[in-house]
Amino acid sequence: MSTLLEVQNLKTYFFRKKEAIPAVDGVDFTINKGETVALVGESGSGKSITSLSIMGLIEGSGGKLMDGSIKLEGQDLVTYSEKELCRIRGNEVSMIFQEPMTSLNPVLTIGEQITEILIYHKKMSKKEASKKAIALLKLVGFSRPEQMMKDYPHRLSGGMRQRVMIAIALSCDPKLLIADEPTTALDVTIQAQVLALMKDLCQEFGTSILLITHDLGVMSEVADRVIVMYCGQVVENGTVEELFEQPLHPYTEGLLDSIPVIDGAIQPLTAIKGNVPAPDQLPSGCRFAPRCPKAMDRCIGELPKLRTLENGRSVRCFLFEEEASQT
Ligand SMILES: Nc1ncnc2c1ncn2[C@@H]1O[C@H](COP(=O)(O)OP(=O)(O)OP(=O)(O)O)[C@@H](O)[C@H]1O
Ligand code: SF4
Ligand SMILES: [Mg+2]
Protein backbone atom coordinates (compact mmCIF):
# COMPACT_ATOMS: atom_id res chain seq x y z
CA MET A 1 0.00 0.00 0.00
CA SER A 2 1.39 3.41 -0.84
CA THR A 3 1.52 6.30 1.59
CA LEU A 4 -0.91 9.19 1.11
CA LEU A 5 -0.19 11.33 4.16
CA GLU A 6 2.92 11.36 6.30
CA VAL A 7 2.89 13.49 9.44
CA GLN A 8 6.27 13.81 11.14
CA ASN A 9 7.14 15.42 14.46
CA LEU A 10 4.11 17.74 14.27
CA LYS A 11 4.15 20.34 17.02
CA THR A 12 1.32 22.83 17.40
CA TYR A 13 1.40 25.10 20.42
CA PHE A 14 -0.80 27.79 21.88
CA PHE A 15 0.63 30.61 23.94
CA ARG A 16 -0.91 32.06 27.05
CA LYS A 17 1.04 34.93 28.66
CA LYS A 18 4.27 33.69 27.01
CA GLU A 19 3.66 30.22 28.45
CA ALA A 20 3.61 27.48 25.79
CA ILE A 21 0.67 25.06 25.70
CA PRO A 22 1.84 22.03 23.69
CA ALA A 23 -1.55 20.91 22.30
CA VAL A 24 0.17 18.67 19.73
CA ASP A 25 3.67 17.70 20.76
CA GLY A 26 5.69 15.67 18.28
CA VAL A 27 3.03 13.61 16.50
CA ASP A 28 4.06 11.02 13.89
CA PHE A 29 1.75 8.88 11.76
CA THR A 30 1.01 7.87 8.20
CA ILE A 31 -2.19 7.17 6.28
CA ASN A 32 -2.07 4.86 3.28
CA LYS A 33 -4.13 5.29 0.14
CA GLY A 34 -7.65 3.96 0.63
CA GLU A 35 -7.11 3.40 4.35
CA THR A 36 -9.42 4.47 7.19
CA VAL A 37 -7.43 5.53 10.23
CA ALA A 38 -9.10 6.43 13.51
CA LEU A 39 -7.60 8.99 15.87
CA VAL A 40 -8.81 8.25 19.39
CA GLY A 41 -8.17 9.63 22.85
CA GLU A 42 -9.92 11.45 25.68
CA SER A 43 -11.05 15.05 25.43
CA GLY A 44 -8.13 17.46 25.15
CA SER A 45 -5.63 14.93 23.80
CA GLY A 46 -5.01 17.00 20.65
CA LYS A 47 -7.13 15.21 18.04
CA SER A 48 -8.86 18.29 16.60
CA ILE A 49 -5.72 20.41 16.71
CA THR A 50 -3.89 17.67 14.77
CA SER A 51 -6.57 17.74 12.08
CA LEU A 52 -6.74 21.54 11.93
CA SER A 53 -2.94 21.55 11.53
CA ILE A 54 -3.21 19.17 8.56
CA MET A 55 -5.86 21.42 6.99
CA GLY A 56 -3.63 24.48 7.42
CA LEU A 57 -6.28 26.09 9.63
CA ILE A 58 -4.26 26.38 12.80
CA GLU A 59 -3.26 30.04 12.55
CA GLY A 60 -6.98 30.92 12.43
CA SER A 61 -7.54 29.16 15.76
CA GLY A 62 -4.77 31.18 17.45
CA GLY A 63 -2.27 28.32 17.54
CA LYS A 64 1.18 28.14 16.00
CA LEU A 65 2.81 25.36 14.04
CA MET A 66 6.18 25.04 15.76
CA ASP A 67 7.80 22.14 13.95
CA GLY A 68 7.27 19.11 11.75
CA SER A 69 6.15 18.20 8.28
CA ILE A 70 2.79 17.20 6.77
CA LYS A 71 3.45 15.48 3.49
CA LEU A 72 0.57 14.77 1.13
CA GLU A 73 1.88 12.49 -1.61
CA GLY A 74 5.38 13.72 -0.77
CA GLN A 75 4.52 17.45 -0.91
CA ASP A 76 5.05 19.21 2.42
CA LEU A 77 1.90 21.26 3.13
CA VAL A 78 3.75 23.18 5.86
CA THR A 79 5.71 25.01 3.17
CA TYR A 80 2.56 25.97 1.22
CA SER A 81 1.25 29.52 0.98
CA GLU A 82 -2.32 30.32 2.09
CA LYS A 83 -3.34 30.46 -1.58
CA GLU A 84 -1.93 26.98 -2.24
CA LEU A 85 -3.61 25.66 0.92
CA CYS A 86 -6.95 27.07 -0.29
CA ARG A 87 -6.61 24.94 -3.40
CA ILE A 88 -5.80 21.84 -1.29
CA ARG A 89 -8.69 22.40 1.16
CA GLY A 90 -11.96 21.01 -0.10
CA ASN A 91 -10.22 19.75 -3.20
CA GLU A 92 -7.53 17.25 -2.18
CA VAL A 93 -8.28 17.20 1.54
CA SER A 94 -11.77 17.89 2.85
CA MET A 95 -13.25 17.91 6.30
CA ILE A 96 -16.54 17.10 8.00
CA PHE A 97 -17.21 18.55 11.44
CA GLN A 98 -19.49 17.45 14.26
CA GLU A 99 -22.18 20.08 13.74
CA PRO A 100 -22.96 20.55 10.06
CA MET A 101 -25.11 23.63 10.72
CA THR A 102 -21.94 25.60 11.50
CA SER A 103 -20.34 24.53 8.21
CA LEU A 104 -23.42 25.06 6.02
CA ASN A 105 -24.39 28.58 5.03
CA PRO A 106 -27.95 29.20 6.33
CA VAL A 107 -28.86 31.72 3.61
CA LEU A 108 -27.87 29.59 0.62
CA THR A 109 -29.74 26.60 -0.75
CA ILE A 110 -28.09 23.17 -0.63
CA GLY A 111 -27.75 23.31 -4.42
CA GLU A 112 -26.04 26.72 -4.33
CA GLN A 113 -23.55 25.47 -1.73
CA ILE A 114 -22.51 22.37 -3.67
CA THR A 115 -22.37 24.05 -7.08
CA GLU A 116 -20.34 26.96 -5.66
CA ILE A 117 -17.57 24.54 -4.64
CA LEU A 118 -17.58 22.74 -7.99
CA ILE A 119 -17.43 26.03 -9.89
CA TYR A 120 -14.55 27.28 -7.69
CA HIS A 121 -12.42 24.14 -7.42
CA LYS A 122 -13.29 22.22 -10.57
CA LYS A 123 -13.92 25.23 -12.83
CA MET A 124 -17.24 23.71 -13.94
CA SER A 125 -19.95 25.70 -15.70
CA LYS A 126 -23.11 26.36 -13.68
CA LYS A 127 -24.97 23.71 -15.67
CA GLU A 128 -22.28 21.05 -15.22
CA ALA A 129 -21.99 21.83 -11.52
CA SER A 130 -25.74 21.54 -11.08
CA LYS A 131 -25.80 18.15 -12.80
CA LYS A 132 -22.95 16.87 -10.66
CA ALA A 133 -24.59 18.25 -7.46
CA ILE A 134 -27.81 16.35 -8.23
CA ALA A 135 -25.81 13.16 -8.83
CA LEU A 136 -23.97 13.63 -5.52
CA LEU A 137 -27.19 14.18 -3.58
CA LYS A 138 -28.57 11.01 -5.11
CA LEU A 139 -25.42 9.17 -4.12
CA VAL A 140 -25.81 10.16 -0.46
CA GLY A 141 -29.32 8.73 -0.47
CA PHE A 142 -31.75 11.55 -1.29
CA SER A 143 -34.54 10.13 -3.41
CA ARG A 144 -35.58 13.58 -4.71
CA PRO A 145 -32.26 15.33 -5.25
CA GLU A 146 -33.74 18.05 -7.51
CA GLN A 147 -36.03 19.08 -4.64
CA MET A 148 -33.13 18.97 -2.16
CA MET A 149 -31.14 21.38 -4.36
CA LYS A 150 -33.75 24.09 -3.61
CA ASP A 151 -33.94 23.45 0.15
CA TYR A 152 -32.26 25.47 2.90
CA PRO A 153 -30.17 23.78 5.64
CA HIS A 154 -32.55 24.63 8.52
CA ARG A 155 -35.31 22.58 6.90
CA LEU A 156 -33.27 19.38 7.17
CA SER A 157 -32.78 16.97 10.07
CA GLY A 158 -29.31 16.50 11.60
CA GLY A 159 -28.79 13.23 9.72
CA MET A 160 -29.85 14.81 6.41
CA ARG A 161 -27.53 17.75 6.96
CA GLN A 162 -24.63 15.42 7.67
CA ARG A 163 -25.39 13.54 4.43
CA VAL A 164 -25.30 16.87 2.59
CA MET A 165 -21.92 17.52 4.23
CA ILE A 166 -20.66 14.16 2.95
CA ALA A 167 -21.83 15.12 -0.55
CA ILE A 168 -20.00 18.46 -0.26
CA ALA A 169 -16.87 16.85 1.19
CA LEU A 170 -16.69 14.30 -1.61
CA SER A 171 -17.73 16.69 -4.41
CA CYS A 172 -14.17 17.32 -5.61
CA ASP A 173 -12.96 13.69 -5.26
CA PRO A 174 -10.60 14.41 -2.34
CA LYS A 175 -7.70 12.10 -1.59
CA LEU A 176 -8.27 12.46 2.14
CA LEU A 177 -11.43 13.07 4.14
CA ILE A 178 -10.95 14.22 7.73
CA ALA A 179 -14.07 13.59 9.80
CA ASP A 180 -13.96 15.14 13.29
CA GLU A 181 -16.60 13.43 15.45
CA PRO A 182 -18.93 13.45 12.41
CA THR A 183 -21.85 11.67 14.06
CA THR A 184 -21.74 12.50 17.77
CA ALA A 185 -24.54 15.08 17.38
CA LEU A 186 -26.87 12.49 15.79
CA ASP A 187 -29.20 9.83 17.19
CA VAL A 188 -27.48 6.48 17.66
CA THR A 189 -29.43 4.73 14.88
CA ILE A 190 -28.72 7.55 12.41
CA GLN A 191 -25.03 7.58 13.45
CA ALA A 192 -24.48 4.05 12.14
CA GLN A 193 -26.21 4.85 8.82
CA VAL A 194 -24.21 8.03 8.24
CA LEU A 195 -20.91 6.33 9.07
CA ALA A 196 -21.66 3.37 6.82
CA LEU A 197 -22.53 5.78 4.00
CA MET A 198 -19.34 7.77 4.48
CA LYS A 199 -17.21 4.62 4.52
CA ASP A 200 -18.94 3.06 1.47
CA LEU A 201 -18.61 6.19 -0.63
CA CYS A 202 -14.97 6.71 0.33
CA GLN A 203 -14.25 3.12 -0.64
CA GLU A 204 -15.96 3.69 -3.97
CA PHE A 205 -14.03 6.93 -4.55
CA GLY A 206 -10.71 5.52 -3.23
CA THR A 207 -10.65 8.26 -0.56
CA SER A 208 -8.65 7.73 2.64
CA ILE A 209 -10.33 8.71 5.91
CA LEU A 210 -8.94 10.17 9.12
CA LEU A 211 -11.78 9.60 11.56
CA ILE A 212 -11.56 11.43 14.86
CA THR A 213 -13.66 9.91 17.58
CA HIS A 214 -13.69 9.15 21.25
CA ASP A 215 -16.21 6.39 20.63
CA LEU A 216 -14.30 3.13 20.41
CA GLY A 217 -17.40 1.30 19.21
CA VAL A 218 -17.57 3.61 16.18
CA MET A 219 -13.85 3.18 15.65
CA SER A 220 -14.05 -0.62 15.64
CA GLU A 221 -16.82 -0.57 13.02
CA VAL A 222 -15.14 1.55 10.39
CA ALA A 223 -11.38 1.87 10.94
CA ASP A 224 -8.57 -0.25 9.59
CA ARG A 225 -5.95 1.21 11.88
CA VAL A 226 -6.00 3.22 15.09
CA ILE A 227 -3.79 5.96 16.46
CA VAL A 228 -4.20 6.49 20.18
CA MET A 229 -3.35 9.98 21.44
CA TYR A 230 -2.69 11.13 24.98
CA CYS A 231 -1.65 14.65 26.03
CA GLY A 232 -0.66 15.78 22.53
CA GLN A 233 1.35 12.66 21.68
CA VAL A 234 0.77 9.33 19.95
CA VAL A 235 1.02 6.54 22.52
CA GLU A 236 0.05 3.59 20.34
CA ASN A 237 -0.52 2.77 16.67
CA GLY A 238 -1.85 -0.55 15.41
CA THR A 239 -4.64 -2.26 13.48
CA VAL A 240 -8.12 -2.44 15.01
CA GLU A 241 -7.72 -6.20 15.51
CA GLU A 242 -4.34 -5.82 17.21
CA LEU A 243 -5.63 -3.17 19.54
CA PHE A 244 -8.75 -5.03 20.56
CA GLU A 245 -7.03 -8.40 20.92
CA GLN A 246 -3.88 -7.19 22.64
CA PRO A 247 -3.66 -3.54 23.58
CA LEU A 248 -0.07 -2.65 24.46
CA HIS A 249 -0.07 0.77 26.10
CA PRO A 250 -1.65 0.90 29.59
CA TYR A 251 -3.69 3.90 28.39
CA THR A 252 -5.14 1.88 25.48
CA GLU A 253 -5.95 -0.91 27.94
CA GLY A 254 -7.76 1.63 30.10
CA LEU A 255 -9.73 3.00 27.15
CA LEU A 256 -10.83 -0.48 26.10
CA ASP A 257 -11.83 -1.34 29.66
CA SER A 258 -14.15 1.66 29.62
CA ILE A 259 -16.33 0.16 26.86
CA PRO A 260 -19.43 -1.51 28.30
CA VAL A 261 -19.96 -5.02 26.92
CA ILE A 262 -23.40 -5.14 25.33
CA ASP A 263 -23.60 -8.77 24.21
CA GLY A 264 -23.12 -11.38 26.93
CA ALA A 265 -22.66 -10.46 30.56
CA ILE A 266 -22.82 -6.82 31.53
CA GLN A 267 -19.44 -5.65 32.73
CA PRO A 268 -18.79 -2.85 35.15
CA LEU A 269 -17.50 0.23 33.37
CA THR A 270 -14.03 0.85 34.72
CA ALA A 271 -13.03 4.29 33.57
CA ILE A 272 -9.37 5.27 33.81
CA LYS A 273 -8.77 6.83 37.22
CA GLY A 274 -7.72 10.44 37.45
CA ASN A 275 -7.98 13.16 34.82
CA VAL A 276 -6.06 14.21 31.73
CA PRO A 277 -3.53 16.80 32.96
CA ALA A 278 -3.95 20.31 31.54
CA PRO A 279 -1.47 20.88 28.68
CA ASP A 280 0.33 23.57 30.70
CA GLN A 281 0.73 21.19 33.66
CA LEU A 282 2.22 18.10 32.07
CA PRO A 283 4.25 15.74 34.23
CA SER A 284 7.96 15.75 33.41
CA GLY A 285 8.22 11.99 32.78
CA CYS A 286 5.70 9.74 31.03
CA ARG A 287 2.58 11.86 30.61
CA PHE A 288 0.39 8.92 31.63
CA ALA A 289 2.43 8.08 34.77
CA PRO A 290 0.10 9.78 37.31
CA ARG A 291 -2.77 7.54 36.11
CA CYS A 292 -0.86 4.43 35.09
CA PRO A 293 -1.41 1.25 37.14
CA LYS A 294 1.93 -0.12 35.85
CA ALA A 295 4.08 2.97 36.48
CA MET A 296 7.66 2.32 37.58
CA ASP A 297 10.17 4.68 39.26
CA ARG A 298 11.73 5.49 35.92
CA CYS A 299 8.40 6.64 34.45
CA ILE A 300 8.27 9.61 36.81
CA GLY A 301 11.34 11.41 35.46
CA GLU A 302 11.80 10.15 31.91
CA LEU A 303 9.57 10.54 28.85
CA PRO A 304 9.38 7.35 26.76
CA LYS A 305 9.79 7.57 22.98
CA LEU A 306 7.33 6.14 20.46
CA ARG A 307 9.12 2.97 19.39
CA THR A 308 8.37 0.56 16.60
CA LEU A 309 8.34 -3.07 17.71
CA GLU A 310 9.54 -6.00 15.66
CA ASN A 311 5.95 -6.90 14.77
CA GLY A 312 5.46 -3.44 13.20
CA ARG A 313 3.27 -1.98 15.95
CA SER A 314 4.39 1.14 17.75
CA VAL A 315 4.01 2.12 21.38
CA ARG A 316 5.29 4.81 23.72
CA CYS A 317 5.98 2.94 26.96
CA PHE A 318 9.09 1.69 28.79
CA LEU A 319 7.47 -1.74 29.24
CA PHE A 320 8.13 -2.48 25.56
CA GLU A 321 11.61 -1.06 25.24
CA GLU A 322 13.22 -4.51 24.98
CA GLU A 323 10.99 -5.50 22.07
CA ALA A 324 11.65 -2.33 20.08
CA SER A 325 13.35 -2.84 16.75
CA GLN A 326 14.45 0.79 16.50
CA THR A 327 14.63 3.85 18.70
N1 LIG B 1 -7.77 28.08 20.97
C1 LIG B 1 -7.08 27.45 21.93
N2 LIG B 1 -6.37 28.13 22.86
C2 LIG B 1 -5.67 27.52 23.82
N3 LIG B 1 -5.58 26.18 23.96
C3 LIG B 1 -6.29 25.44 23.08
C4 LIG B 1 -7.06 26.02 22.02
N4 LIG B 1 -7.65 25.02 21.29
C5 LIG B 1 -7.24 23.88 21.89
N5 LIG B 1 -6.44 24.12 22.94
C6 LIG B 1 -5.82 23.12 23.83
O1 LIG B 1 -5.25 22.11 23.06
C7 LIG B 1 -5.50 20.84 23.62
C8 LIG B 1 -5.97 19.90 22.54
O2 LIG B 1 -7.25 20.30 22.09
P1 LIG B 1 -8.09 19.51 21.01
O3 LIG B 1 -9.26 20.37 20.67
O4 LIG B 1 -7.22 19.08 19.90
O5 LIG B 1 -8.56 18.23 21.82
P2 LIG B 1 -9.46 17.00 21.31
O6 LIG B 1 -8.62 15.78 21.45
O7 LIG B 1 -9.99 17.30 19.96
O8 LIG B 1 -10.60 16.96 22.39
P3 LIG B 1 -12.20 16.69 22.22
O9 LIG B 1 -12.36 15.19 22.25
O10 LIG B 1 -12.79 17.35 23.42
O11 LIG B 1 -12.66 17.32 20.94
C9 LIG B 1 -6.54 21.01 24.70
O12 LIG B 1 -5.95 20.72 25.93
C10 LIG B 1 -6.92 22.46 24.66
O13 LIG B 1 -6.91 23.00 25.94
S1 SF4 C 1 6.05 4.39 30.55
FE1 SF4 C 1 5.54 3.81 32.61
S2 SF4 C 1 3.93 5.23 33.28
FE2 SF4 C 1 4.12 5.38 31.07
S3 SF4 C 1 2.56 4.02 30.29
FE3 SF4 C 1 4.46 2.83 30.38
S4 SF4 C 1 4.47 1.87 32.41
FE4 SF4 C 1 2.90 3.45 32.44
MG1 LIG D 1 -11.89 17.67 19.20
Side-chain angles (χ1 to χ4, degrees):
M1 250 200 272
S2 56
T3 305
L4 174 71
L5 183 82
E6 185 174 20
V7 175
Q8 278 178 317
N9 194 33
L10 181 68
K11 290 190 182 180
T12 305
Y13 289 12
F14 290 89
F15 291 89
R16 198 187 296 144
K17 291 184 194 154
K18 286 194 184 160
E19 202 179 338
I21 301 171
V24 175
D25 202 14
V27 160
D28 296 288
F29 65 90
T30 57
I31 300 177
N32 292 321
K33 286 189 180 156
E35 196 180 27
T36 298
V37 175
L39 197 54
V40 303
E42 283 164 291
S43 188
S45 54
K47 306 180 298 292
S48 295
I49 300 300
T50 299
S51 66
L52 290 176
S53 305
I54 297 170
M55 292 295 282
L57 292 171
I58 208 63
E59 306 285 332
S61 74
K64 190 161 168 42
L65 208 88
M66 306 297 288
D67 203 356
S69 60
I70 301 166
K71 289 188 184 145
L72 186 71
E73 292 187 315
Q75 301 293 312
D76 192 355
L77 303 184
V78 169
T79 64
Y80 277 30
S81 65
E82 183 50 35
K83 194 174 163 204
E84 287 170 313
L85 283 171
C86 265
R87 186 183 56 78
I88 296 284
R89 278 196 293 268
N91 203 10
E92 298 196 29
V93 184
S94 58
M95 194 156 176
I96 305 179
F97 296 94
Q98 182 175 336
E99 185 30 80
M101 208 48 204
T102 55
S103 324
L104 290 168
N105 188 332
V107 299
L108 294 181
T109 63
I110 301 299
E112 281 165 337
Q113 307 200 39
I114 307 180
T115 52
E116 196 175 68
I117 292 167
L118 292 166
I119 293 167
Y120 175 77
H121 279 302
K122 293 288 177 201
K123 313 282 175 250
M124 286 185 183
S125 67
K126 216 170 166 187
K127 204 171 159 197
E128 284 171 324
S130 190
K131 211 172 144 195
K132 169 100 192 211
I134 290 171
L136 280 162
L137 288 171
K138 202 164 177 196
L139 209 61
V140 294
F142 292 112
S143 53
R144 295 171 64 205
E146 287 87 356
Q147 186 57 43
M148 184 57 58
M149 291 283 282
K150 297 180 206 143
D151 256 327
Y152 286 89
H154 70 266
R155 293 189 17 106
L156 313 181
S157 69
M160 286 161 102
R161 281 202 287 263
Q162 208 53 308
R163 282 195 277 152
V164 168
M165 282 312 297
I166 294 174
I168 291 177
L170 295 180
S171 60
C172 297
D173 302 323
K175 292 171 180 151
L176 176 66
L177 173 69
I178 301 179
D180 192 348
E181 305 276 3
T183 56
T184 23
L186 306 176
D187 290 345
V188 177
T189 46
I190 309 288
Q191 279 189 17
Q193 287 170 16
V194 170
L195 276 173
L197 175 75
M198 185 181 83
K199 172 91 184 178
D200 284 353
L201 290 179
C202 284
Q203 248 164 6
E204 206 177 308
F205 284 50
T207 306
S208 305
I209 305 175
L210 179 64
L211 175 69
I212 297 172
T213 177
H214 50 238
D215 185 332
L216 281 98
V218 161
M219 177 272 276
S220 69
E221 302 248 318
V222 286
D224 303 310
R225 206 151 47 79
V226 188
I227 296 160
V228 184
M229 278 189 79
Y230 187 74
C231 289
Q233 298 184 321
V234 174
V235 295
E236 182 161 0
N237 187 338
T239 65
V240 171
E241 292 76 27
E242 285 168 345
L243 244 85
F244 271 92
E245 276 166 29
Q246 193 201 5
L248 299 178
H249 198 282
Y251 178 61
T252 317
E253 279 187 300
L255 280 183
L256 292 174
D257 281 348
S258 352
I259 310 178
V261 175
I262 298 162
D263 53 338
I266 297 164
Q267 279 195 351
L269 199 133
T270 41
I272 307 167
K273 70 174 170 60
N275 296 313
V276 180
D280 55 349
Q281 286 165 13
L282 296 172
S284 57
C286 172
R287 293 183 178 174
F288 190 55
R291 305 172 75 189
C292 181
K294 295 178 181 169
M296 306 165 280
D297 286 348
R298 173 179 189 194
C299 309
I300 310 297
E302 219 183 309
L303 180 67
K305 287 183 183 159
L306 182 70
R307 293 169 203 272
T308 306
L309 310 187
E310 270 156 20
N311 59 13
R313 298 177 63 176
S314 38
V315 59
R316 185 188 288 276
C317 173
F318 291 127
L319 293 170
F320 301 93
E321 211 172 28
E322 304 270 290
E323 295 169 48
S325 58
Q326 60 191 66
T327 54

